[in-house]
């Protein structure tokens, strides 16, 4: 894999906080490729589930290869999919290789909201857990 990959004909934009697996699957679907083939273009061939957000097996040049395939800058990809930023951090990269970091839950994005952005297909995003404040919990307890 020494040759630089060519730009894919269709490169849908990543959605903020989209999982890596979701974006790779949408990219493969848009270009009528299998996820295994697209994965081999990025780096080590692997099947990516749509909820997958692990990058422990990615090499440091994989982010550059994904950027070349999509025509987007590495910083744009990291901004949309923050786990990609751990590729260059050896400590976080090793931890990600052995176990997936506890992350927010993953949910499908609203199809109507995505259609409004001209994004079609299933988008899986990481969503933060709802936090309960102490004032909110005491208000709930006082009404019961």
């Amino acid at each position: 894999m020494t040759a630089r990959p060519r730009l894919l004909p269709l490169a849908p934009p990543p959605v903020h906080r989209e999982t890596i697996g979701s974006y790779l699957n949408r990219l493969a679907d848009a270009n009528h490729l299998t996820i295994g083939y697209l994965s081999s273009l990025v780096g080590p061939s692997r099947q990516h589930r749509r909820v997958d957000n692990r990058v422990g097996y990615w090499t440091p040049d994989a982010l550059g290869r994904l950027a070349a395939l999509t025509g987007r800058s590495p910083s744009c990809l990291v901004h949309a999919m923050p786990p990609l930023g751990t590729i260059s951090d050896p400590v976080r990269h090793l931890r990600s290789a052995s176990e997936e970091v506890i992350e927010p839950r993953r949910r499908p994005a609203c199809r109507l909201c995505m259609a409004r952005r001209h994004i079609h297909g299933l988008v899986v995003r990481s969503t933060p857990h709802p936090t309960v404040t102490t004032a909110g919990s005491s208000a709930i307890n006082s009404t019961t």
Side-chain angles (χ1 to χ4, degrees):
M1 268 200 272
T2 57
R4 182 183 165 137
R6 293 185 333 186
L7 182 66
L8 292 172
L10 298 173
V15 175
H16 184 64
R17 302 193 65 69
E18 182 173 11
T19 62
I20 297 165
S22 172
Y23 183 65
L24 292 177
N25 275 280
R26 285 193 314 114
L27 192 60
D29 291 345
N31 291 284
H32 303 287
L33 302 172
T34 65
I35 188 62
Y37 179 73
L38 179 66
S39 178
S40 69
L41 294 176
V42 173
S45 183
R46 182 175 181 277
Q47 295 294 329
H48 294 272
R49 296 183 343 246
R50 290 190 189 267
V51 296
D52 192 12
N53 231 2
R54 292 175 290 167
V55 293
Y57 53 88
W58 285 42
T59 59
D61 65 330
L63 181 58
R65 296 179 69 76
L66 181 60
L69 285 169
T70 61
R72 305 197 185 287
S73 68
S75 61
C76 173
L77 294 170
V78 169
H79 178 72
M81 298 170 282
L84 288 176
T86 64
I87 294 171
S88 59
D89 184 358
V91 173
R92 291 177 74 186
H93 186 72
L94 287 174
R95 186 172 74 186
S96 178
S98 62
E99 64 182 45
E100 193 166 358
V101 179
I102 297 173
E103 293 182 343
R105 61 185 175 166
R106 296 172 190 114
R107 301 178 53 112
C110 172
R111 289 185 184 264
L112 294 174
C113 296
M114 293 298 106
R116 192 175 317 131
R117 295 180 184 178
H118 304 287
I119 297 172
H120 304 286
L122 178 62
V123 175
V124 179
R125 297 175 66 190
S126 296
T127 59
H129 290 288
T131 57
V132 177
T133 61
T134 55
S137 62
S138 62
I140 293 170
N141 292 334
S142 64
T143 59
T144 56

